[in-house]
Amino acid sequence: MNTPIIIQKKVEAPIDEVWEALTDKEKMKSWYFDVPDFELNTGKQFNFYEPGEEKKYHHQGNILDFVPNEVLKHTWCYPELSDKETIVTWELQPDGNGTLVKLIHENVDNFKALGDSFSRQSFTEGWNGIIGQSLKSYLE
C-alpha cells in the first residue's frame, strides 16, 4: 500500500506569509525545524535533525520543484538509515481570508522497515501536529 498521506488545514494567514514560513530558513526555525542549509532553488539539497542536542534522525531533502505562493516539492530521506526516499509536496491555495495548506507525503511505506518511528501512523501524527498546531499557532 503506497497511498500518500494527505493533510489539509486552513491557516488564518495570507498566502504570502504562509509561503515565507515554508521557505525562509529563519522563520522555519520558529515552527518547523532548524534547516541551516535550506535554499529555495531547484536541485538544492538541505539537511536537518530532530530538535535537541542528540542530533537524532538526519533528514535530507532535495528541492524538486516550486512555484512561489503555490507549491513546494522536495524529497525526504534518512541517508544514514536507508537508501530509500519519499516525496513531500506542500500546496497552498487562497481560502477566504486565509490559506488552505495541503501536504502530500508519497511513498511513506518505503520507511516501514525502519520501525514504529517511521510508520504511516507516526508520519500522519507528525504532519498533523506540524501543520495543525505548530504552523497554525506560528501564523495565527
Side-chain angles (χ1 to χ4, degrees):
M1 171 171 93
N2 248 334
T3 306
I5 294 170
I6 299 174
I7 308 293
Q8 282 194 139
K9 303 283 183 195
K10 182 174 181 181
V11 176
E12 298 295 338
I15 206 163
D16 58 326
E17 287 181 22
V18 178
W19 180 254
E20 277 189 34
L22 289 177
T23 60
D24 180 309
K25 64 185 174 186
E26 292 305 314
K27 292 184 184 226
M28 291 160 83
K29 279 190 220 181
S30 298
W31 69 274
Y32 191 45
F33 293 101
D34 182 7
V35 190
D37 59 349
F38 185 88
E39 280 183 53
L40 187 60
N41 286 306
T42 303
K44 284 290 187 181
Q45 184 179 88
F46 58 93
N47 299 272
F48 61 97
Y49 294 87
E50 298 287 318
E53 293 300 312
E54 67 271 15
K55 298 281 187 197
K56 190 175 181 184
Y57 301 134
H58 174 203
H59 299 66
Q60 190 174 77
N62 283 297
I63 296 177
L64 299 173
D65 192 21
F66 69 93
V67 177
N69 294 335
E70 290 181 25
V71 67
L72 171 62
K73 185 174 189 172
H74 60 81
T75 61
W76 180 283
C77 67
Y78 303 94
E80 288 148 15
L81 302 175
S82 173
D83 61 352
K84 306 220 175 181
E85 67 180 22
T86 61
I87 305 290
V88 173
T89 305
W90 299 83
E91 296 178 353
L92 305 181
Q93 292 182 331
D95 187 358
N97 293 331
T99 302
L100 184 63
V101 177
K102 180 179 182 180
L103 178 126
I104 304 160
H105 195 164
E106 300 174 70
N107 302 315
V108 171
D109 293 333
N110 286 352
F111 298 143
K112 67 182 174 186
L114 299 178
D116 289 344
S117 294
F118 303 91
S119 70
R120 171 175 293 281
Q121 179 180 347
S122 180
F123 277 108
T124 302
E125 289 171 4
W127 288 123
N128 270 307
I130 286 170
I131 298 167
Q133 295 167 9
S134 298
L135 181 62
K136 279 180 73 71
S137 63
Y138 173 71
L139 288 167
E140 290 181 351

